[in-house]
DNA sequence: CTGAAAGCGCTTACAG
DNA sequence: CTGAAAGCGCTTACAG
């Protein structure tokens, strides 16, 4: 492995100048820079990351702390890894990963300590894992993804749940639906409560009455959605707002089992907009996080924080992404 | 941030001894070690990773090179990340990630160079990506996952496709099935060809004739499986071997559309054993890679290679994992 | 724009 | 079992 010393010697400059020519920030005569770069290229020189990191105090790597469940039971984890990997790569940053299940080996504290990463993206739900919270006190610049009111001292980044839910319900209203029911997620979860609230608000704003039997609490699974829809069907709704896409899939099945069609008889909207929503039959009208955007913003924010760790914590809210597809239409005319 | 120097000073020993006491390999008086550890603990000392890496020549991090498609279109990527993360963590190794789509930013060559990782796990299909192959020549210890005959110079680790396929077909034969048809993946893919070969072999070994119309080539998707099964149904098979689980899902739908039941009328087996196979109705009998085991072995092998890079390349083949579930039974008696 | 020098914080032969 | 010393390969004020 050639070192910077060799590159410098063959270029006829000092190590300092070679370093400046290669890293690009400082002022170096153009001709010198070219010569050094050519020599480095011809030698196949790769700067030693450890040495660079030790001297500069920056590793050029960011870490992601993710609950294992979000990777195994949910498309979210894979999408997030994908997005962050892209965003990090665009800034020439490496990406390290730590999944919260790892008890037997090293803790997140150990694995991400000692300057191995310059910053951290932490999924808010990871804070339920007892090893994770302490790392936020470790002085590593961090961005928290999602909602976590207990840590107003760290930077937050999340998608507007409430406004997103409003979008889909307003869409149903604008199509002319009046009898709109809803299937919610578990109401001990903030996101489920917020989505229900958005439903209530929009209905009220449009002079549409909501009675308790129009709201069915379920569990974010397809089976739960099917069961809930079966119970709502006697009300003869023309549209349903489901608290997530999974339940919308189940609800669609229930509607078909009753001999009805989506969207001819009943329009249906979901929440999340994971890839399955697009390939579903019919493709589901839904709203969700733009995970690519979220990832990009997270890395941008982290880069700012790494450059200036004293930045005051902010709670940044991104707009939700609304996708009108084929599961919604006008209510039946009679 | 406390440094090793401070730990040494407060412990009343030299920096060298403090280092030995903390890393644990070398011989240090037990009492000394205890004292140093206590001091380190009380200071909240974390060794600087860059310094350690620079001095020792080891980063304590391994990298994973994964085709983006395996993460976004397939459960395989997420399962592999999960498994490797576990396995790496058990050895106190960090895990860095590089997805093959990342053109705009840094190449895999740059991101994993300069000693930032001690070793690499590379998905064999990643080699189709032009940036990836050169890294195998870069002198970083690497383990290739899957089959890639073009690089006999690197260590391979893969699951026995052929033996796995044999298991499920033999299972059907042992249940008494004689009219067994097959739906294959695209026959320009090695894995599809191998699975078909296993089918032919088992059939022949058991004196069961295979005619061309009993083999339907498809595309590994549910829709493809449905269409293929619809074409095979006129042959009145009592069992189907599908080249992957996805096609088995589609084939099941085709069977039901024809008014038949799985497994009462037709038994069905798949290949892959991703999580969906277990939750499918009926739960699918299938065979697949044990990704947790594969990951563990990959990290074990990599650790050996890092310790001794001169180890001769081996092609290690792991057994497939067979799961008998509810989609198979005896053929109808008439 | 360039160089000499110090220093980043560890590990590891080499002696003893 | 322990210490003094060298060294890992860079970056970055400080001068000029």
């Amino acid at each position: 492995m050639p070192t910077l010393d060799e590159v410098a010697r063959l270029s006829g400059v000092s190590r300092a100048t070679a370093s400046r020519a290669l890293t690009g920030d400082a002022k170096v005569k153009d001709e010198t820079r070219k010569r050094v770069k050519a020599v480095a290229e011809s030698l196949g020189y790769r700067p030693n990351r450890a040495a660079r990191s030790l001297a500069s105090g920056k590793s050029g790597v960011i870490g992601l702390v993710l609950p294992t469940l979000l990777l195994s039971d949910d498309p979210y984890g894979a999408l997030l890894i994908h997005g962050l990997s892209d965003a990090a790569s665009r800034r020439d940053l490496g990406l390290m990963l730590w999944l919260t299940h790892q008890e037997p080996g090293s803790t997140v504290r150990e694995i991400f300590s000692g300057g191995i990463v310059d910053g951290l993206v932490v999924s808010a739900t990871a804070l339920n894992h007892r090893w994770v919270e302490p790392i936020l006190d470790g002085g590593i610049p961090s961005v928290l993804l999602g909602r976590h009111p207990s840590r107003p001292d760290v930077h937050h980044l999340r998608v507007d749940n409430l406004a997103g839910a409003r979008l889909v319900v307003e869409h149903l209203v604008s199509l002319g639906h009046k009898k709109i029911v809803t299937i919610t997620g578990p109401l001990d979860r903030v996101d489920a409560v917020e989505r229900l609230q958005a439903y209530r608000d929009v209905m009220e704003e449009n002079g549409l009455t909501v009675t308790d039997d129009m709201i069915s609490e379920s569990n974010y699974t397809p089976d739960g959605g099917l069961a809930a829809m079966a119970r709502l069907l006697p009300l003869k709704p023309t549209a349903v707002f489901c608290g997530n896409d999974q339940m919308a899939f189940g609800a669609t099945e229930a509607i078909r089992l009753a001999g009805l069609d989506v969207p001819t008889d009943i329009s249906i909207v979901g929440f999340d907009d994971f890839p399955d929503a697009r390939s579903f039959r019919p493709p589901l009208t839904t709203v969700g996080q733009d995970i690519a955007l979220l990832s990009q913003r997270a890395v941008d924010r982290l880069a700012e924080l790494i450059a200036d760790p004293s930045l005051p914590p902010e709670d940044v809210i991104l707009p939700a992404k609304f996708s009108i597809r084929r599961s919604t239409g006008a209510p039946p005319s009679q």
Side-chain angles (χ1 to χ4, degrees), chain A residues 54-183:
Chain A
L54 182 58
S56 71
K58 294 272 176 291
S59 70
V61 176
I62 62 173
L64 168 63
V65 179
L66 187 74
T68 307
L69 278 182
L70 290 186
L71 184 59
S72 52
D73 287 9
D74 202 302
Y76 180 79
L79 292 168
L80 184 62
I81 289 174
H82 187 149
L84 285 175
S85 169
D86 262 356
S89 167
R90 259 191 293 271
R91 286 181 175 269
D92 278 312
L93 293 169
L95 180 64
M96 279 193 68
L97 200 62
W98 197 85
L99 303 181
T100 56
H101 62 290
Q102 288 154 171
E103 300 285 351
S106 31
T107 67
V108 62
R109 193 82 197 254
E110 288 156 4
I111 213 82
F112 280 150
S113 71
I116 200 171
V117 294
D118 296 332
L120 243 29
V121 175
V122 181
S123 165
T125 49
L127 294 196
N128 300 329
H129 189 90
R130 67 192 164 114
W131 295 112
V132 173
E133 184 130 13
I135 206 180
L136 296 180
D137 305 317
I140 305 177
S142 303
V143 172
L144 211 44
L145 255 38
R147 173 180 265 268
H148 206 91
S150 85
R151 299 296 308 234
D153 56 320
V154 299
H155 297 255
H156 281 249
L157 189 59
R158 58 193 168 96
V159 169
D160 198 334
N161 206 26
L162 223 135
R166 289 187 59 100
L167 284 176
V168 282
V169 183
E170 279 167 353
H171 170 64
L172 292 175
V173 171
S174 75
L175 285 170
H177 290 277
K178 308 219 175 302
K179 187 82 181 185
I180 306 171
V181 296
T182 187
I183 301 174

Side-chain angles (χ1 to χ4, degrees), chain A residues 236-311:
Chain A
K236 308 233 179 280
T238 66
V240 204
F241 164 44
C242 298
N244 77 349
D245 293 347
Q246 295 290 312
M247 295 195 296
F249 300 153
T252 302
E253 209 179 329
I255 291 169
R256 289 192 180 136
L257 288 173
L260 299 172
D261 180 68
V262 173
T264 317
D265 301 302
I266 301 186
S267 285
I268 190 158
V269 296
F271 199 109
D272 273 347
D273 201 6
F274 286 144
D276 281 354
R278 176 189 291 270
S279 56
F280 191 64
R281 293 298 124 96
L284 189 66
T285 294
T286 183
V287 64
Q289 309 189 25
D290 182 341
I291 297 184
L293 176 66
L294 182 76
S295 304
Q296 181 65 57
R297 290 300 192 77
V299 172
D300 289 349
R301 190 98 193 90
L302 203 47
E304 290 173 14
L305 276 178
I306 291 169
D308 179 5
S310 70
L311 251 36

Side-chain angles (χ1 to χ4, degrees), chain A residues 1-70:
Chain A
M1 296 273 91
T3 68
L4 185 60
D5 257 325
E6 303 176 44
V7 174
R9 199 170 333 119
L10 290 174
S11 309
V13 298
S14 73
R15 198 167 2 121
T17 301
S19 172
R20 292 190 190 105
L22 260 22
T23 49
D25 342 296
K27 47 262 148 261
V28 177
K29 208 198 299 180
D30 226 42
E31 183 204 320
T32 312
R33 185 186 302 278
K34 271 190 190 125
R35 185 154 31 97
V36 173
K37 285 201 163 179
V39 171
E41 173 74 20
S42 74
L43 288 180
Y45 168 72
R46 302 280 161 192
N48 179 302
R49 300 303 224 81
R52 170 173 283 184
S53 172
L54 182 58
S56 71
K58 294 272 176 291
S59 70
V61 176
I62 62 173
L64 168 63
V65 179
L66 187 74
T68 307
L69 278 182
L70 290 186

